[in-house]
Amino acid sequence: LDRSDEKIPLAAVTVDSDSGIKESVIVNRLGLDAGDVANRKRIQEGLESVYALGVFDDVDYRMVQGANGAELHILTEPNALGKNLLSIGARMSTTLDGDATYQLLAKFTRRPTNRFGGRFNAVVGLGSDNLLDLAYTHPLGGDARLFVEGGMQLSSRRVPVAIGDERIAERLDQSAEIRGRIG
């Protein structure tokens, strides 16, 4: 029988996690606490919200009958790739006019950087176009749904200079950007 609509009063909610994220952030993100009444659908929605933090490979739960009633245990499995991720790649393109660009790219990500689930990204691109992009995102609030982000980007690229249809030179187009976001 489908018991997904069965309402279960929760005596306790605990978190079993060694991810470095504060237990209160996970419980707040789950949206359930001791004294709440939950069903399987509400628990699943809460688990999906915890998983959306982006630092876990898996988020599951176990329901145990304790002395004071049902105890909900949240089980998290940290990302198997670890906290530090490095991606390396290449990008090449050409046009029918003979303009070609190439870039070797590396991206470093650290997540989480703190107990609230912060994230740091650094992107370096070298080649005909050069790029340095740094960004730090810090969650706000007890459930880490809001965030502030600060970042900067330095870039340079070669742009052809032409008179009519004849290409006579290239110039270096450089830019610097500082950005901030809240969301």
Side-chain angles (χ1 to χ4, degrees), residues 10-17 23 26-27 30 32-34 60-62 64 70-76:
L10 300 176
V13 176
T14 61
V15 176
D16 178 15
S17 176
E23 183 175 324
I26 294 171
V27 170
L30 181 70
L32 294 169
D33 210 347
D60 204 354
Y61 75 98
R62 183 177 70 229
V64 176
E71 297 177 357
L72 177 63
H73 296 277
I74 305 304
L75 311 167
T76 65

Side-chain angles (χ1 to χ4, degrees), residues 24-70:
S24 62
V25 170
I26 294 171
V27 170
N28 288 338
R29 195 71 184 240
L30 181 70
L32 294 169
D33 210 347
D36 291 345
V37 176
N39 61 15
R40 190 165 54 181
K41 180 181 177 190
R42 188 166 173 203
I43 293 169
Q44 188 62 42
E45 288 170 352
L47 295 177
E48 289 170 4
S49 181
V50 171
Y51 183 77
L53 285 169
V55 297
F56 305 112
D57 270 351
D58 190 29
V59 179
D60 204 354
Y61 75 98
R62 183 177 70 229
M63 192 72 73
V64 176
Q65 189 61 37
N68 298 327

Side-chain angles (χ1 to χ4, degrees), residues 61-114:
Y61 75 98
R62 183 177 70 229
M63 192 72 73
V64 176
Q65 189 61 37
N68 298 327
E71 297 177 357
L72 177 63
H73 296 277
I74 305 304
L75 311 167
T76 65
E77 184 177 318
N79 190 321
L81 297 176
K83 292 182 177 188
N84 299 315
L85 304 172
L86 179 63
S87 304
I88 298 175
R91 181 183 326 179
M92 295 182 283
S93 66
T94 187
T95 65
L96 295 174
D97 295 331
D99 294 326
T101 62
Y102 61 93
Q103 225 178 3
L104 295 175
L105 296 158
K107 179 179 181 182
F108 172 77
T109 301
R110 175 155 175 97
R111 60 175 194 199
T113 58
N114 57 34

